Amino acid sequence: MTSTVNHSSQPLPVQALLDEAVWIRSLARRLARDAAEADDLVQETLVSALENPPDRGQPRRAWLAIVVANAARALRRSGSRREARERVAARPEALPSTAELVERALVQRELVEAVLALDEPYREIVLLRFYEGLPPRTIARRLQIPVDTVRTRLARAVARLRTRLDQQHGGKRMAWLALVLPPPEAASLTIPLTGGILLNAKLAALTAAAVLAVVAFVFLRSSEPASPTPASAMTASEVPVARPASAPAPELGSVEAADARTTAARPPSADASSPAATVAAPAPRLRGVVLDSEGRALSGVPFGIGREKDGKVPPSPLGTSGADGRFDLDFPAEPGPLVASGTEWSTVLSALPSSAPGAHDAVLVVASRLHLSGFVVDAAGAPVEDARLAFEMPEDLRPRFTMDIDRSVNIRPETRSDADGRFEFSQLPRVRGAKLTVSANGFDAWQLSIEEIADPFTVVLTRPGEHSEVLQGIVVDAQGTAVEKAHVAFGIETVRTDADGRFVFSLADPRGFNARWKVSATLLRAIKAGFLPAQMDAPMVDGQPRWPASVTLRLGTESLSISGRVKARDGEPRAGLRVWAADSEVFGAGREGPLVLENVLAGIEGRSWSYVETDEDGRFEIRGLLPRAYVLRAQDPENLLMIEESGVDAGRDDVEMRMPADGLFLRVAGTVRGHDGTPVAGVSIHPMCDSYRARFRGDVISTSHDAVDGVVTDSEGRFVLQSVPRSLVYLRLDGAEILPLEYGRYAEGDPRFANAAVKELPRDEIESLDIRVDRRAHLQIQLTDPALGDRFRLLDTKGDAIELSVFEGNNRREGMDARIVEGRSPVVSGSDRGRTLVLLKGETEVGRRPVTLKPGETTIVPW
């Protein structure tokens, strides 16, 4: 018997088929007579796509549409004719025996049980990917985690499923793999599922087709053992973060048996006769208002969900504001920031909608669209490439609003000039008092009010040496060759060398980082990936730095590394753990934030916290290190369990770190209450840690947090968590009705936690915690005379200052004082414990007034 290979077609990639699953299901539902028939069409299409791929070059969707349509026509033919044809055409061996059907059903049930038995977050990822048919990027947006985290969890979930089924079948993978896909003859088979529920195969096709079949495709493509994953550098952008709770607070029922990782998503248990079993919870609504940049309601403004990071592609309209600027819609299936749509309006403050309990209305702020373009040149008229042009909102923007805009986020448009110095902003918002700032390497910053700019216009940048005293020089390597694009730091200020290795700084730039951070610049350093740093201390004359007319900085030889292994206490290697140098140092201020010296030496920029991941043998290597001893940390990303190893000399390749066997609290439980003792429902709680603290000259200037999924308090304020590390981890409490609390967090040297009542999780009462929170109230100060004051404080009944916060979506700025700009403060969040307002001008107290703050309301205080 001979076979013929069709060279005009090729197997359809499994990932490509997965990406089309939702589209196939949508088409099938339109062509089928009912949902069960649609599920049959989906199964037939998936199988056909694998067995008979389209011709090379044939449009994929056009071919899939034909497959679905053909299957639909076949299913519509009369049952008798179809049965007659099948009896004539079928071969005796085509029909499986009863024993084969039972075996196939048992294996399918095993796979379903294996999927449902997965620990979170793996079960949720598998169901979203293969049951709902969502692509990884959509899952990442829905769960608010990096897309690489989604792919990592999927890979681990599939590996766990394969391992479990291999073990159940004596290590013979093909013995169960051939039985996973249900054949067409099994269309009427009843499949027993977990918990004794019996579902007809057509009704279970969403599980059988989307979970069994598609997971089986993954198995078929990855049945060979995976090769070890080498350790590779990872950045903070790939770090999983906790997903905010968006569902109503569940009733915990038996809290002793609650699964910590799924409590937030699992509905309360109920029998068939209970109201909860028959009455569905009301669907969440998306309510809000559209305002202009002066705080006035706007009608007829279309808006949608922002998808593009740069905002250049307007979203499809989701809704339009009504006569009073308000809107009330079904909550979107894939929520995201609300932004202006169409061609007339541009976004000033996007709105982050929330369906969490107690969430306030979304506030979207827009302005008429402005187009700006032009050139960036130097004093000689030569184009300046890669100049950064940033649109900055005025300081008094938020004080213009008299309502809570906690979930509204500043839009910060920016662009860069091309090789000809050309730039363009296609959709800037026309906001009173906004400014355009231009900066470029080796030039002084330029700024101008938007009202003073006409389209098009030219920005002329000047170099520091053209009008002020400067520090200049050159960076070379060990052989004396000029080094291009090396980073040079003068205090906290940084520039990059040009093609000739040269750099220049202004010794007294009032708008520079040194002036803003009050840094005395007495040290000059240069770094570049692959080299050891060069540095020069300022020559001192009469206690003042006196720099020479020109400086040469000579880079050293190659930087060092540390490598080793991370193992469990029993000696087994631990794969997938993060390892990093906890005491690396900040070199200077970069465009995207702090520049960490070791990161730059390792070729990693743009992130302060970066780490490597252990491979299958537990091995890791950290590069870009200086010749000194380091503090290493290793962390399990699944539960944040960390260990620390001090005094590790750079250059070592034999480091061994051991994860503790008893480093976790198996169960953490308690109740969240207000200061009056009443329980607070709907509070999200998740374990969190300070993984990395960036330091400049010993002072912490930024902190990188990490978190894992948590739970939501029930109607009695109760919660249960499992597998929480005993040390270096605290509980983050958040919600629309409370001020955020980091329970058990203590950061040495941080004044916010100097008097913290709880500095770590209390071990003696770890299963009966009583956590007290501040209920969130809003207030705004409006001065009759703007000259009266520039700041205010809020005091409690004891006369102690209460922290005030300005929220911007998921971020916030907090402090004991709140600013007053042009006679008005922004609407700030404070505690309901506040009783007295203190008005300040500079360091002088102007006066005091009593105040009563109500949670969930905004109190306007005229003065």
Side-chain angles (χ1 to χ4, degrees):
M1 182 177 184
T2 60
S3 60
T4 303
V5 178
N6 183 4
H7 294 283
S8 65
S9 64
Q10 58 183 348
L12 190 64
V14 172
Q15 186 60 48
L17 184 60
L18 296 179
D19 292 340
E20 300 290 356
V22 173
W23 181 84
I24 295 172
R25 186 176 291 114
S26 175
L27 178 60
R29 286 172 178 170
R30 291 196 297 269
L31 295 177
R33 290 168 295 191
D34 52 42
E37 184 174 284
D39 295 333
D40 290 340
L41 294 180
V42 172
Q43 290 186 70
E44 293 289 338
T45 303
L46 293 175
V47 173
S48 296
L50 287 178
E51 295 178 347
N52 301 293
D55 291 341
R56 191 187 304 271
Q58 185 175 1
R60 186 190 306 155
R61 284 196 172 180
W63 176 81
L64 289 171
I66 294 173
V67 175
V68 176
N70 289 340
R73 283 194 295 271
L75 285 175
R76 289 195 186 101
R77 295 179 183 128
S78 67
S80 58
R81 291 179 57 192
R82 182 173 62 251
E83 291 172 359
R85 285 197 305 273
E86 290 174 349
R87 283 195 298 269
V88 172
R91 294 177 297 174
E93 66 272 20
L95 293 176
S97 66
T98 301
E100 290 173 335
L101 289 175
V102 171
E103 184 180 10
R104 186 182 301 278
L106 289 175
V107 173
Q108 292 173 356
R109 184 178 68 177
E110 289 175 3
L111 179 52
V112 172
E113 291 174 343
V115 170
L116 297 180
L118 285 171
D119 293 332
E120 295 294 0
Y122 300 116
R123 177 173 56 197
E124 182 179 38
I125 289 287
V126 168
L127 292 177
L128 287 174
R129 182 69 184 93
F130 300 129
Y131 178 79
E132 295 292 342
L134 301 179
R137 293 194 178 277
T138 301
I139 297 174
R141 286 196 301 269
R142 175 177 291 191
L143 301 185
Q144 297 186 8
I145 59 177
V147 67
D148 287 340
T149 301
V150 173
R151 294 191 177 105
T152 298
R153 290 181 182 178
L154 277 173
R156 290 176 178 173
V158 169
R160 293 186 182 192
L161 291 171
R162 285 201 306 263
T163 299
R164 173 170 174 166
L165 291 175
D166 283 346
Q167 292 173 348
Q168 292 175 347
H169 291 267
K172 298 178 180 179
R173 180 166 299 175
M174 294 309 299
W176 60 263
L177 187 59
L179 299 171
V180 169
L181 282 173
E185 298 83 12
S188 60
L189 178 65
T190 296
I191 304 176
L193 297 178
T194 304
I197 301 173
L198 296 181
L199 295 177
N200 183 273
K202 288 188 176 182
L203 183 61
L206 286 176
T207 301
V211 177
L212 296 177
V214 182
V215 171
F217 297 161
V218 178
F219 289 150
L220 287 167
R221 286 294 298 260
S222 56
S223 58
E224 294 301 320
S227 57
T229 303
S232 59
M234 301 184 72
T235 67
S237 65
E238 300 165 308
V239 179
V241 297
R243 173 168 50 92
S246 58
E251 300 289 345
L252 289 181
S254 175
V255 293
E256 290 78 12
D259 180 349
R261 293 189 179 275
T262 57
T263 301
R266 182 184 297 131
S269 59
D271 56 43
S273 62
S274 68
T278 57
V279 180
R285 304 291 295 173
L286 174 58
R287 298 183 176 92
V289 63
V290 179
L291 306 177
D292 69 10
S293 60
E294 302 295 333
R296 298 171 298 218
L298 288 174
S299 63
V301 177
F303 58 87
I305 295 178
R307 302 296 186 193
E308 295 294 330
K309 183 177 180 181
D310 58 8
K312 293 181 179 178
V313 180
S316 300
L318 177 69
T320 302
S321 60
D324 57 355
R326 304 200 65 81
F327 54 86
D328 187 344
L329 311 167
D330 292 333
F331 203 85
E334 297 182 27
L338 301 183
V339 297
S341 184
T343 59
E344 182 180 356
W345 304 98
S346 287
T347 306
V348 179
L349 300 177
S350 65
L352 293 183
S354 173
S355 60
H360 291 186
D361 289 353
V363 180
L364 172 63
V365 180
V366 303
S368 59
R369 181 168 296 187
L370 174 67
H371 180 275
L372 287 178
S373 62
F375 295 86
V376 180
V377 299
D378 62 15
V384 177
E385 183 180 5
D386 199 37
R388 175 178 176 267
L389 298 95
F391 188 78
E392 298 182 0
M393 298 298 176
E395 286 186 336
D396 69 338
L397 176 62
R398 286 184 173 266
R400 298 176 190 177
F401 301 92
T402 59
M403 63 187 303
D404 159 23
I405 55 171
D406 288 357
R407 301 293 296 172
S408 302
V409 182
N410 280 21
I411 295 295
R412 296 177 173 86
E414 68 172 61
T415 189
R416 294 188 182 273
S417 58
D418 62 17
D420 297 324
R422 187 190 306 274
F423 69 88
E424 181 178 17
F425 287 101
S426 59
Q427 48 176 333
L428 290 179
R430 191 183 297 274
V431 178
R432 174 176 58 86
K435 299 181 184 299
L436 185 67
T437 298
V438 185
S439 59
N441 188 36
F443 292 89
D444 285 335
W446 179 97
Q447 188 178 76
L448 195 63
S449 171
I450 203 69
E451 288 87 356
E452 303 177 64
I453 300 175
D455 181 38
F457 70 100
T458 300
V459 177
V460 180
L461 298 182
T462 58
R463 297 184 182 274
E466 295 169 8
H467 60 79
S468 63
E469 187 178 359
V470 300
L471 169 62
Q472 57 187 339
I474 185 172
V475 177
V476 299
D477 60 18
Q479 288 73 41
T481 304
V483 178
E484 181 183 5
K485 294 185 178 180
H487 289 278
V488 185
F490 175 58
I492 198 72
E493 306 261 5
T494 61
V495 297
R496 301 194 76 168
T497 56
D498 61 17
D500 298 321
R502 299 196 172 275
F503 62 89
V504 59
F505 290 99
S506 172
L507 288 175
D509 183 359
R511 290 180 295 184
F513 284 110
N514 288 339
R516 279 186 279 172
W517 290 20
K518 299 180 181 179
V519 172
S520 177
T522 59
L523 179 65
L524 188 65
R525 295 195 295 178
I527 58 175
K528 188 172 182 180
F531 297 90
L532 286 175
Q535 73 176 51
M536 177 181 179
D537 292 306
M540 306 298 290
V541 178
D542 297 330
Q544 297 296 321
R546 292 290 185 268
W547 294 97
S550 183
V551 173
T552 298
L553 296 176
R554 189 178 299 273
L555 298 174
T557 54
E558 292 186 5
S559 56
L560 305 178
S561 65
I562 294 176
S563 59
R565 301 180 72 184
V566 182
K567 299 180 179 179
R569 179 55 60 186
D570 60 6
E572 286 296 313
R574 291 295 309 273
L577 301 190
R578 303 166 181 156
V579 187
W580 68 94
D583 59 341
S584 54
E585 58 180 296
V586 171
F587 172 76
R591 287 178 174 176
E592 309 299 332
L595 278 174
V596 176
L597 187 149
E598 285 84 354
N599 291 355
V600 176
L601 296 185
I604 303 168
E605 298 186 30
R607 299 290 178 183
S608 57
W609 177 37
S610 67
Y611 55 83
V612 296
E613 193 171 85
T614 58
D615 64 14
E616 295 297 326
D617 295 323
R619 298 188 180 278
F620 67 89
E621 182 180 15
I622 303 173
R623 300 179 180 179
L625 303 180
L626 303 178
R628 67 174 178 90
Y630 282 90
V631 176
L632 300 189
R633 275 189 175 181
Q635 179 196 68
D636 186 340
E638 297 300 322
N639 53 34
L640 304 183
L641 179 62
M642 281 192 291
I643 57 171
E644 191 170 279
E645 188 82 17
S646 301
V648 181
D649 292 325
R652 285 184 56 183
D653 60 2
D654 59 348
V655 177
E656 184 173 295
M657 304 177 72
R658 296 267 181 150
M659 300 296 290
D662 58 349
L664 300 172
F665 291 118
L666 298 183
R667 187 175 183 273
V668 174
T671 304
V672 177
R673 310 177 193 273
H675 289 284
D676 58 359
T678 58
V680 184
V683 176
S684 67
I685 307 177
H686 53 260
M688 195 171 188
C689 67
D690 298 341
S691 296
Y692 177 74
R693 303 172 73 194
R695 297 177 183 270
F696 180 75
R697 297 183 178 176
D699 295 327
V700 176
I701 62 174
S702 71
T703 301
S704 297
H705 308 288
D706 195 16
V708 292
D709 294 342
V711 298
V712 176
T713 57
D714 68 3
S715 60
E716 297 179 3
R718 298 176 302 168
F719 68 92
V720 178
L721 294 165
Q722 294 177 349
S723 300
V724 178
R726 292 176 176 269
S727 62
L728 302 176
V729 166
Y730 49 92
L731 302 182
R732 167 79 179 197
L733 284 76
D734 209 344
E737 299 181 6
I738 68 167
L739 290 175
L741 174 67
E742 291 166 346
Y743 182 81
R745 180 187 183 193
Y746 174 66
E748 185 178 357
D750 191 329
R752 294 179 300 163
F753 303 96
N755 299 315
V758 181
K759 297 183 182 296
E760 63 178 11
L761 298 182
R763 303 191 176 199
D764 295 340
E765 52 192 64
I766 198 65
E767 295 191 28
S768 58
L769 300 176
D770 185 9
I771 303 178
R772 300 300 174 108
V773 296
D774 287 314
R775 295 182 185 271
R776 191 186 304 192
H778 296 85
L779 72 155
Q780 182 183 53
I781 304 295
Q782 297 182 356
L783 303 181
T784 55
D785 180 1
L788 283 176
D790 54 24
R791 292 179 298 131
F792 75 92
R793 289 177 187 159
L794 178 65
L795 309 181
D796 62 15
T797 55
K798 297 179 181 179
D800 294 329
I802 297 176
E803 189 173 72
L804 298 171
S805 300
V806 175
F807 288 85
E808 296 184 18
N810 294 324
N811 299 316
R812 70 166 174 155
R813 293 178 283 110
E814 67 276 350
M816 296 305 175
D817 296 349
R819 294 184 61 195
I820 299 175
V821 182
E822 301 295 332
R824 291 174 70 166
S825 75
V827 175
V828 302
S829 296
S831 169
D832 59 337
R833 295 184 293 113
R835 293 293 181 269
T836 305
L837 288 173
V838 180
L839 183 63
L840 303 168
K841 186 171 183 179
E843 299 300 324
T844 304
E845 180 178 325
V846 175
R848 297 190 176 204
R849 290 193 178 180
V851 67
T852 300
L853 302 179
K854 296 181 180 180
E857 297 183 9
T858 299
T859 300
I860 307 296
V861 181
W863 203 302

